[in-house]
Amino acid sequence: MARTLSRRDMIRSIGILGLTLGAGSLPVTAFAAPGTKRHSRTALLMGTFVTVTVAHESPDFADEAAGKAFEAIRGELPVFDGHDRSSALSVLNRDGKLASPPPQMVSLMEAAANWHRATGGAFDPSVTPLVTLFREAAARGVEPDRNQITQALELVHAERIVVSGQRLTLGCDMAVTLDGIAKGALVDRASEVLSDFGASTHLINAGGDIRARTDSEHRSWRVAVQSPDGSEYPAVTRLRNGAVASSGSYESLRPEAGGFTHLLDPRTGYPCRTAAGVTVIARNAAEADALSTAVYVLGPRNGLQLVKSRPGTECLILGPDGSELRSAGFDRVAI
């Protein structure tokens, strides 16, 4: 029977594990500063569990700060919720156009278009017809045939999306998804709200899309990277002011005829198989989110080149055979 596993459980945030004191120190489970405690709240949002952890002496302050972060996410969810028929995204996909789109949607569509160009098409928000084809096939316990994939691929053309402040327009029969960037962007927004409220040291974990900040260069959050099969943690990284996201075979559509991952190459129409998982460290969650998808699709060699071209980013690529490939600076943020 076909089944879908939870999205991006590759990363286990260890706001769960705690904070460390800077490079070279032994791992600890809390701040070194006496009296500083961590308080966490969890809510079901964006189809996953979102945990906000705030380091503060006052549990009441931390609770109020987390509440404001959740409010920020809830406030923008109606724009991007593809399951809500009245959302801006659903209207765009149904009608092929959207007049006076919300500013945050225009911003994300522009960002998605930029990622499409920067990755040579490896990141493509118009991949929805392919994803739908594979999901429907998985539900029947089969894989799509070549003709079906070719037909769906004809609708995958991000360059046919027209983005302006007054109107969004899609090509004929196209549909878009912002799953590869929207969650990260919402996590970034929640992080901004926390910082503005005065919760300067916090960590947000939205189903593996993680954004962390600290108020000191001597303190850092630890984030553990989990292997696709859940058997081990090949790396533990430090985050002071940055983000982590992962893509890979952590979520799979597995028909009885044979498994295939949820990540499809929008250039060929077929599932990506050159890596088991990719973890990206970046300056913000939206960048980490999009870049992890692109690196996974591009494969190890081209993916590493893309990461190398973007300042402030690092990555870990796990091969199907258990091998590890790290960007040049990844070990500087690993414990």
Short mmCIF file of all heavy atoms in Angstrom, two decimals, residues 98-140:
data_model
loop_
_atom_site.label_atom_id
_atom_site.label_comp_id
_atom_site.label_asym_id
_atom_site.label_seq_id
_atom_site.Cartn_x
_atom_site.Cartn_y
_atom_site.Cartn_z
N LEU A 98 -4.24 35.83 -10.99
CA LEU A 98 -4.64 36.39 -9.69
C LEU A 98 -4.40 37.89 -9.72
O LEU A 98 -3.27 38.35 -9.88
CB LEU A 98 -3.84 35.75 -8.56
CG LEU A 98 -4.17 36.20 -7.14
CD1 LEU A 98 -5.59 35.79 -6.76
CD2 LEU A 98 -3.17 35.62 -6.14
N ALA A 99 -5.49 38.65 -9.62
CA ALA A 99 -5.39 40.10 -9.60
C ALA A 99 -5.11 40.59 -8.18
O ALA A 99 -5.57 40.00 -7.21
CB ALA A 99 -6.69 40.72 -10.11
N SER A 100 -4.31 41.63 -8.07
CA SER A 100 -3.95 42.23 -6.79
C SER A 100 -3.50 41.19 -5.78
O SER A 100 -4.07 41.06 -4.68
CB SER A 100 -5.14 43.03 -6.23
OG SER A 100 -5.54 44.03 -7.13
N PRO A 101 -2.49 40.41 -6.09
CA PRO A 101 -2.02 39.37 -5.18
C PRO A 101 -1.42 39.96 -3.91
O PRO A 101 -0.91 41.09 -3.94
CB PRO A 101 -0.95 38.64 -5.99
CG PRO A 101 -0.47 39.67 -6.96
CD PRO A 101 -1.67 40.49 -7.30
N PRO A 102 -1.48 39.23 -2.80
CA PRO A 102 -0.86 39.72 -1.56
C PRO A 102 0.63 39.98 -1.77
O PRO A 102 1.30 39.22 -2.47
CB PRO A 102 -1.09 38.56 -0.58
CG PRO A 102 -2.24 37.79 -1.14
CD PRO A 102 -2.12 37.92 -2.63
N PRO A 103 1.16 41.03 -1.17
CA PRO A 103 2.58 41.37 -1.36
C PRO A 103 3.53 40.23 -1.01
O PRO A 103 4.53 40.02 -1.70
CB PRO A 103 2.77 42.57 -0.43
CG PRO A 103 1.41 43.17 -0.29
CD PRO A 103 0.46 42.03 -0.34
N GLN A 104 3.20 39.49 0.07
CA GLN A 104 4.10 38.41 0.47
C GLN A 104 4.12 37.29 -0.56
O GLN A 104 5.13 36.59 -0.73
CB GLN A 104 3.74 37.86 1.84
CG GLN A 104 2.34 37.29 2.00
CD GLN A 104 1.33 38.32 2.47
OE1 GLN A 104 1.27 39.42 1.93
NE2 GLN A 104 0.55 37.96 3.49
N MET A 105 3.01 37.12 -1.29
CA MET A 105 2.99 36.10 -2.34
C MET A 105 3.80 36.55 -3.54
O MET A 105 4.55 35.76 -4.14
CB MET A 105 1.56 35.80 -2.76
CG MET A 105 1.46 34.63 -3.74
SD MET A 105 -0.23 34.14 -4.05
CE MET A 105 0.03 32.68 -5.07
N VAL A 106 3.70 37.81 -3.89
CA VAL A 106 4.51 38.36 -4.98
C VAL A 106 6.00 38.20 -4.66
O VAL A 106 6.80 37.78 -5.49
CB VAL A 106 4.17 39.83 -5.24
CG1 VAL A 106 5.14 40.44 -6.25
CG2 VAL A 106 2.74 39.98 -5.73
N SER A 107 6.35 38.51 -3.41
CA SER A 107 7.73 38.41 -2.98
C SER A 107 8.26 36.97 -3.11
O SER A 107 9.37 36.75 -3.62
CB SER A 107 7.87 38.89 -1.53
OG SER A 107 9.20 38.74 -1.07
N LEU A 108 7.46 36.00 -2.68
CA LEU A 108 7.89 34.61 -2.76
C LEU A 108 7.94 34.10 -4.20
O LEU A 108 8.82 33.32 -4.56
CB LEU A 108 6.98 33.72 -1.92
CG LEU A 108 7.38 33.51 -0.46
CD1 LEU A 108 6.56 32.39 0.16
CD2 LEU A 108 8.86 33.20 -0.32
N MET A 109 6.99 34.53 -5.01
CA MET A 109 7.00 34.12 -6.42
C MET A 109 8.23 34.69 -7.12
O MET A 109 8.85 34.02 -7.96
CB MET A 109 5.73 34.58 -7.11
CG MET A 109 4.47 33.85 -6.65
SD MET A 109 4.45 32.11 -7.15
CE MET A 109 4.18 32.26 -8.90
N GLU A 110 8.60 35.91 -6.79
CA GLU A 110 9.81 36.50 -7.37
C GLU A 110 11.05 35.75 -6.89
O GLU A 110 11.98 35.49 -7.67
CB GLU A 110 9.90 37.97 -6.99
CG GLU A 110 8.86 38.85 -7.68
CD GLU A 110 8.89 40.28 -7.21
OE1 GLU A 110 9.40 40.54 -6.10
OE2 GLU A 110 8.40 41.15 -7.96
N ALA A 111 11.05 35.39 -5.61
CA ALA A 111 12.18 34.63 -5.07
C ALA A 111 12.28 33.26 -5.75
O ALA A 111 13.37 32.80 -6.09
CB ALA A 111 12.04 34.46 -3.56
N ALA A 112 11.13 32.61 -5.94
CA ALA A 112 11.12 31.31 -6.61
C ALA A 112 11.64 31.42 -8.04
O ALA A 112 12.39 30.55 -8.52
CB ALA A 112 9.71 30.73 -6.60
N ALA A 113 11.26 32.50 -8.73
CA ALA A 113 11.74 32.72 -10.10
C ALA A 113 13.26 32.93 -10.11
O ALA A 113 13.96 32.43 -11.00
CB ALA A 113 11.04 33.93 -10.72
N ASN A 114 13.75 33.65 -9.12
CA ASN A 114 15.20 33.86 -9.02
C ASN A 114 15.94 32.54 -8.78
O ASN A 114 17.00 32.30 -9.36
CB ASN A 114 15.51 34.85 -7.90
CG ASN A 114 15.09 36.27 -8.24
OD1 ASN A 114 14.97 36.62 -9.41
ND2 ASN A 114 14.85 37.09 -7.23
N TRP A 115 15.38 31.70 -7.93
CA TRP A 115 15.99 30.40 -7.67
C TRP A 115 15.95 29.52 -8.92
O TRP A 115 16.88 28.76 -9.18
CB TRP A 115 15.28 29.70 -6.51
CG TRP A 115 15.77 30.14 -5.17
CD1 TRP A 115 15.11 30.91 -4.26
CD2 TRP A 115 17.05 29.86 -4.60
NE1 TRP A 115 15.90 31.12 -3.15
CE2 TRP A 115 17.09 30.50 -3.33
CE3 TRP A 115 18.16 29.14 -5.03
CZ2 TRP A 115 18.20 30.42 -2.50
CZ3 TRP A 115 19.28 29.07 -4.20
CH2 TRP A 115 19.29 29.70 -2.95
N HIS A 116 14.88 29.63 -9.67
CA HIS A 116 14.79 28.86 -10.91
C HIS A 116 15.93 29.23 -11.86
O HIS A 116 16.58 28.35 -12.44
CB HIS A 116 13.43 29.14 -11.58
CG HIS A 116 13.24 28.44 -12.88
ND1 HIS A 116 13.04 27.08 -12.98
CD2 HIS A 116 13.24 28.91 -14.16
CE1 HIS A 116 12.91 26.73 -14.25
NE2 HIS A 116 13.03 27.82 -14.98
N ARG A 117 16.19 30.52 -11.99
CA ARG A 117 17.27 30.97 -12.87
C ARG A 117 18.64 30.59 -12.30
O ARG A 117 19.54 30.14 -13.03
CB ARG A 117 17.18 32.48 -13.06
CG ARG A 117 15.99 32.92 -13.92
CD ARG A 117 16.07 34.39 -14.25
NE ARG A 117 15.84 35.21 -13.05
CZ ARG A 117 14.65 35.65 -12.68
NH1 ARG A 117 13.57 35.35 -13.39
NH2 ARG A 117 14.51 36.40 -11.60
N ALA A 118 18.80 30.75 -10.99
CA ALA A 118 20.11 30.50 -10.36
C ALA A 118 20.50 29.03 -10.38
O ALA A 118 21.69 28.70 -10.32
CB ALA A 118 20.10 31.02 -8.92
N THR A 119 19.50 28.15 -10.46
CA THR A 119 19.78 26.71 -10.40
C THR A 119 19.65 26.03 -11.76
O THR A 119 19.68 24.79 -11.83
CB THR A 119 18.82 26.02 -9.41
OG1 THR A 119 17.46 26.19 -9.87
CG2 THR A 119 18.97 26.61 -8.02
N GLY A 120 19.50 26.80 -12.80
CA GLY A 120 19.36 26.21 -14.13
C GLY A 120 18.12 25.35 -14.27
O GLY A 120 18.10 24.40 -15.05
N GLY A 121 17.08 25.70 -13.50
CA GLY A 121 15.81 24.98 -13.59
C GLY A 121 15.66 23.84 -12.59
O GLY A 121 14.62 23.18 -12.56
N ALA A 122 16.67 23.60 -11.75
CA ALA A 122 16.55 22.52 -10.76
C ALA A 122 15.50 22.85 -9.71
O ALA A 122 14.87 21.95 -9.14
CB ALA A 122 17.90 22.27 -10.10
N PHE A 123 15.33 24.13 -9.42
CA PHE A 123 14.25 24.58 -8.54
C PHE A 123 13.17 25.17 -9.44
O PHE A 123 13.42 26.11 -10.18
CB PHE A 123 14.75 25.64 -7.56
CG PHE A 123 13.71 26.08 -6.55
CD1 PHE A 123 13.65 25.49 -5.31
CD2 PHE A 123 12.80 27.08 -6.87
CE1 PHE A 123 12.70 25.89 -4.37
CE2 PHE A 123 11.84 27.48 -5.95
CZ PHE A 123 11.80 26.88 -4.70
N ASP A 124 11.97 24.60 -9.38
CA ASP A 124 10.91 25.05 -10.29
C ASP A 124 9.56 25.01 -9.58
O ASP A 124 9.05 23.93 -9.27
CB ASP A 124 10.86 24.16 -11.53
CG ASP A 124 10.05 24.77 -12.66
OD1 ASP A 124 8.98 25.35 -12.37
OD2 ASP A 124 10.47 24.67 -13.82
N PRO A 125 8.96 26.17 -9.30
CA PRO A 125 7.68 26.19 -8.59
C PRO A 125 6.52 25.65 -9.42
O PRO A 125 5.44 25.40 -8.88
CB PRO A 125 7.49 27.68 -8.28
CG PRO A 125 8.26 28.39 -9.35
CD PRO A 125 9.45 27.52 -9.61
N SER A 126 6.74 25.44 -10.72
CA SER A 126 5.66 24.94 -11.57
C SER A 126 5.66 23.42 -11.69
O SER A 126 5.01 22.85 -12.57
CB SER A 126 5.76 25.57 -12.98
OG SER A 126 6.90 25.09 -13.67
N VAL A 127 6.35 22.74 -10.78
CA VAL A 127 6.48 21.29 -10.83
C VAL A 127 5.21 20.56 -10.40
O VAL A 127 5.12 19.33 -10.49
CB VAL A 127 7.68 20.84 -9.96
CG1 VAL A 127 7.33 20.95 -8.48
CG2 VAL A 127 8.13 19.43 -10.32
N THR A 128 4.19 21.29 -9.97
CA THR A 128 2.97 20.69 -9.42
C THR A 128 2.35 19.60 -10.30
O THR A 128 1.95 18.55 -9.78
CB THR A 128 1.93 21.80 -9.13
OG1 THR A 128 2.48 22.69 -8.17
CG2 THR A 128 0.64 21.22 -8.58
N PRO A 129 2.20 19.78 -11.62
CA PRO A 129 1.61 18.70 -12.42
C PRO A 129 2.37 17.37 -12.32
O PRO A 129 1.75 16.30 -12.30
CB PRO A 129 1.66 19.26 -13.85
CG PRO A 129 1.62 20.74 -13.67
CD PRO A 129 2.44 20.99 -12.43
N LEU A 130 3.68 17.44 -12.22
CA LEU A 130 4.47 16.22 -12.06
C LEU A 130 4.23 15.59 -10.69
O LEU A 130 4.07 14.37 -10.57
CB LEU A 130 5.96 16.54 -12.21
CG LEU A 130 6.55 16.51 -13.62
CD1 LEU A 130 7.98 17.02 -13.59
CD2 LEU A 130 6.49 15.10 -14.21
N VAL A 131 4.23 16.42 -9.65
CA VAL A 131 4.00 15.92 -8.30
C VAL A 131 2.63 15.25 -8.20
O VAL A 131 2.49 14.16 -7.63
CB VAL A 131 4.13 17.05 -7.27
CG1 VAL A 131 3.76 16.55 -5.87
CG2 VAL A 131 5.54 17.63 -7.27
N THR A 132 1.63 15.89 -8.79
CA THR A 132 0.28 15.32 -8.77
C THR A 132 0.25 13.98 -9.49
O THR A 132 -0.36 13.01 -9.02
CB THR A 132 -0.71 16.30 -9.44
OG1 THR A 132 -0.70 17.54 -8.72
CG2 THR A 132 -2.11 15.72 -9.45
N LEU A 133 0.92 13.89 -10.64
CA LEU A 133 0.97 12.65 -11.40
C LEU A 133 1.56 11.52 -10.57
O LEU A 133 1.01 10.41 -10.51
CB LEU A 133 1.79 12.86 -12.67
CG LEU A 133 2.09 11.60 -13.50
CD1 LEU A 133 0.79 11.02 -14.06
CD2 LEU A 133 3.08 11.93 -14.61
N PHE A 134 2.68 11.78 -9.91
CA PHE A 134 3.35 10.74 -9.14
C PHE A 134 2.56 10.37 -7.89
O PHE A 134 2.51 9.19 -7.50
CB PHE A 134 4.77 11.18 -8.77
CG PHE A 134 5.78 10.85 -9.84
CD1 PHE A 134 5.97 11.69 -10.92
CD2 PHE A 134 6.54 9.70 -9.76
CE1 PHE A 134 6.89 11.40 -11.91
CE2 PHE A 134 7.47 9.39 -10.75
CZ PHE A 134 7.65 10.24 -11.83
N ARG A 135 1.93 11.34 -7.27
CA ARG A 135 1.12 11.02 -6.08
C ARG A 135 -0.08 10.16 -6.45
O ARG A 135 -0.42 9.20 -5.73
CB ARG A 135 0.66 12.31 -5.40
CG ARG A 135 1.75 13.05 -4.66
CD ARG A 135 1.19 14.12 -3.74
NE ARG A 135 2.24 14.86 -3.08
CZ ARG A 135 2.90 14.45 -2.00
NH1 ARG A 135 2.61 13.27 -1.48
NH2 ARG A 135 3.84 15.20 -1.46
N GLU A 136 -0.73 10.49 -7.53
CA GLU A 136 -1.88 9.70 -7.96
C GLU A 136 -1.45 8.29 -8.37
O GLU A 136 -2.16 7.31 -8.10
CB GLU A 136 -2.60 10.41 -9.11
CG GLU A 136 -3.30 11.69 -8.66
CD GLU A 136 -3.95 12.44 -9.81
OE1 GLU A 136 -3.69 12.08 -10.98
OE2 GLU A 136 -4.72 13.39 -9.54
N ALA A 137 -0.30 8.18 -9.01
CA ALA A 137 0.21 6.86 -9.39
C ALA A 137 0.56 6.05 -8.15
O ALA A 137 0.27 4.84 -8.09
CB ALA A 137 1.43 7.02 -10.29
N ALA A 138 1.17 6.69 -7.15
CA ALA A 138 1.53 6.00 -5.93
C ALA A 138 0.30 5.47 -5.21
O ALA A 138 0.32 4.38 -4.62
CB ALA A 138 2.32 6.94 -5.01
N ALA A 139 -0.77 6.24 -5.25
CA ALA A 139 -2.01 5.80 -4.60
C ALA A 139 -2.57 4.53 -5.25
O ALA A 139 -3.29 3.75 -4.61
CB ALA A 139 -3.05 6.92 -4.66
N ARG A 140 -2.21 4.32 -6.52
CA ARG A 140 -2.66 3.12 -7.24
C ARG A 140 -1.61 2.01 -7.17
O ARG A 140 -1.83 0.93 -7.72
CB ARG A 140 -2.95 3.45 -8.70
CG ARG A 140 -4.04 4.49 -8.91
CD ARG A 140 -4.47 4.54 -10.38
NE ARG A 140 -3.35 4.79 -11.27
CZ ARG A 140 -2.91 6.00 -11.62
NH1 ARG A 140 -3.51 7.07 -11.13
NH2 ARG A 140 -1.90 6.14 -12.46
#
